[in-house]
């Protein structure tokens, strides 16, 4: 039986990924689950993120999803490998879970001429060193500088991403990142929230430095993946429908989603395990 493509995030950030998926692959049905009741994931332990993410993946499977995208850098960094290697073979060997880090690192080297890249991310993603490990696999000659930005997500979720109050924290972390290497000529926004700060980031970055659009990369990668796996693609329903679930307040989710997704949504509340 066919089912929607599941898109999971700890909260709202994954909607920036879903927005691009819908733009590039509008024919598919998508089911989005935001675990807002337990967000943010960025400061939580590896075990906690793994437990929460696996629970949400299982729930999306129960809703008929044959393919789930972890549209969250923290979940991709802390939980994806265990889910793919330890859990899927036992609970759902015919289903697939993909993340956002691998497709990004496969092409990130094409965005730099100096072979020096900067990454803005949550503390959890930085500490996991997932980007460092994955980039080295594909581009061993590239130097990567990381900067954890713990205040950026709270600023964004409190509607301060375009305010003067955000300037201090954006300028601070841009300065810290560039201080690690004056040769950086491309930066990756390693958190799905961060595109909402792109105007501020652009304001404080030298104009010669490129900002890499992770959402576009993930969408292109998914399109390629589905073409290479026709047996899985055939299980994805194609009615152009989008369904949104949140584990917290639907009113708050709908209000924030208009910012992250770019259009109004009407979400449903979901208690996990039910």
């Amino acid at each position: 039986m066919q089912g929607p493509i599941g898109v999971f995030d700890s909260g709202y950030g994954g909607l920036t990924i879903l927005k691009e998926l819908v733009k590039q692959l509008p024919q598919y049905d998508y089911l989005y689950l935001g675990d807002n009741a337990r967000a943010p994931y960025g400061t939580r332990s590896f075990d906690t993120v793994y437990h929460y993410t696996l629970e949400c993946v299982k729930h999306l499977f129960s809703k008929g999803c044959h393919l789930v995208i972890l549209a969250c850098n923290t979940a991709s960094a802390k939980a994806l490998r265990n889910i793919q290697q330890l859990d899927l073979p036992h609970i759902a060997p015919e289903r697939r879970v993909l993340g956002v880090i691998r497709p990004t690192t496969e092409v990130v080297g094409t965005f730099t001429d100096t072979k020096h890249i900067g990454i803005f991310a949550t503390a959890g993603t930085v500490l996991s060193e997932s980007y460092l490990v994955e980039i080295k696999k594909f581009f061993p000659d590239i130097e990567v500088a990381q900067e954890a930005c713990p205040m950026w997500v709270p600023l964004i979720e409190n509607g301060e991403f375009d305010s003067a109050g955000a300037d201090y924290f954006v300028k601070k972390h841009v300065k810290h990142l560039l201080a690690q290497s004056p040769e950086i000529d491309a930066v990756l926004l390693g958190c799905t929230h961060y595109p909402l700060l792109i105007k501020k980031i652009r304001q404080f970055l030298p104009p010669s430095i490129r900002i890499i659009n992770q959402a576009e990369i993930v969408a292109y990668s998914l399109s390629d993946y589905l073409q290479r796996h026709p047996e899985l693609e055939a299980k994805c329903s194609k009615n152009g429908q989008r369904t949104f679930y949140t584990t917290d307040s639907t009113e708050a989710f709908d209000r924030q989603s208009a910012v992250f997704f770019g259009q109004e949504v009407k979400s449903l509340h979901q208690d996990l395990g039910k």
Side-chain angles (χ1 to χ4, degrees):
M1 183 178 295
Q2 289 186 327
I5 295 173
V7 180
F8 165 72
D9 185 62
S10 58
Y12 307 106
L15 291 166
T16 63
I17 299 290
L18 179 60
K19 180 180 178 181
E20 193 64 35
L21 295 179
V22 169
K23 179 181 177 181
Q24 293 192 34
L25 300 165
Q27 69 272 32
Y28 294 98
D29 297 338
Y30 297 95
L31 195 162
Y32 185 90
L33 173 61
D35 190 13
N36 301 83
R38 300 186 293 198
Y41 279 18
T43 56
R44 295 189 184 275
S45 70
F46 276 71
D47 285 346
T48 298
V49 172
Y50 165 58
H51 172 75
Y52 287 174
T53 303
L54 178 60
E55 187 175 15
C56 290
V57 166
K58 286 180 176 178
H59 180 76
L60 287 168
F61 286 168
S62 76
K63 292 288 188 180
C65 299
H66 297 276
L67 172 64
V68 173
I69 310 297
L70 302 187
C72 172
N73 281 273
T74 301
S76 295
K78 294 184 174 183
L80 179 61
R81 186 180 299 274
N82 277 351
I83 290 174
Q84 288 177 331
Q85 296 182 355
L86 303 180
D87 299 300
L88 282 187
H90 304 291
I91 64 173
E94 301 299 320
R95 303 188 190 224
R96 294 292 179 267
V97 180
L98 305 176
V100 294
I101 293 178
R102 180 66 178 260
T104 304
T105 56
E106 286 178 343
V107 300
V108 73
T110 64
F111 292 90
T112 175
D113 294 320
T114 64
K115 299 189 185 303
H116 286 259
I117 287 176
I119 299 176
F120 294 116
T122 65
T125 298
V126 169
L127 288 172
S128 77
E129 297 192 344
S130 293
Y131 273 105
L132 301 183
V133 171
E134 292 296 323
I135 290 174
K136 284 297 180 185
K137 291 179 182 177
F138 301 105
F139 303 97
D141 57 339
I142 285 181
E143 295 296 325
V144 181
Q146 298 188 103
E147 174 68 11
C149 310
M151 284 299 296
W152 285 13
V153 168
L155 281 169
I156 292 165
E157 294 201 346
N158 284 284
E160 297 294 324
F161 55 89
D162 201 28
S163 72
D167 288 8
Y168 170 81
F169 293 101
V170 173
K171 184 178 181 180
K172 170 186 175 182
H173 291 300
V174 167
K175 181 180 178 181
H176 285 178
L177 181 71
L178 297 183
Q180 296 184 50
S181 172
E183 297 182 67
I184 291 172
D185 67 344
V187 298
L188 171 68
L189 307 185
C191 172
T192 53
H193 277 68
Y194 294 177
L196 272 72
L197 277 172
I198 198 163
K199 289 183 180 179
K200 293 289 186 186
I201 296 169
R202 182 77 275 170
Q203 179 182 338
F204 295 109
L205 269 181
S208 60
I209 296 180
R210 301 175 68 175
I211 298 177
I212 302 169
N213 187 328
Q214 185 180 41
E216 287 184 0
I217 292 171
V218 171
Y220 281 124
S221 178
L222 177 59
S223 177
D224 177 67
Y225 183 87
L226 291 171
Q227 289 178 28
R228 291 186 290 106
H229 296 84
E231 74 290 345
L232 185 62
E233 194 278 338
K235 297 178 181 178
C236 299
S237 54
K238 305 172 185 67
N239 303 298
Q241 297 179 349
R242 300 83 175 83
T243 307
F244 301 85
Y245 286 93
T246 175
T247 58
D248 205 1
S249 162
T250 56
E251 292 80 7
F253 185 88
D254 295 351
R255 185 170 59 252
Q256 291 276 31
S257 295
V259 177
F260 285 85
F261 191 56
Q263 56 184 275
E264 298 293 329
V265 308
K266 187 67 175 177
S267 64
L268 301 168
H269 180 75
Q270 182 64 60
D271 287 323
L272 293 175
K274 296 182 180 180

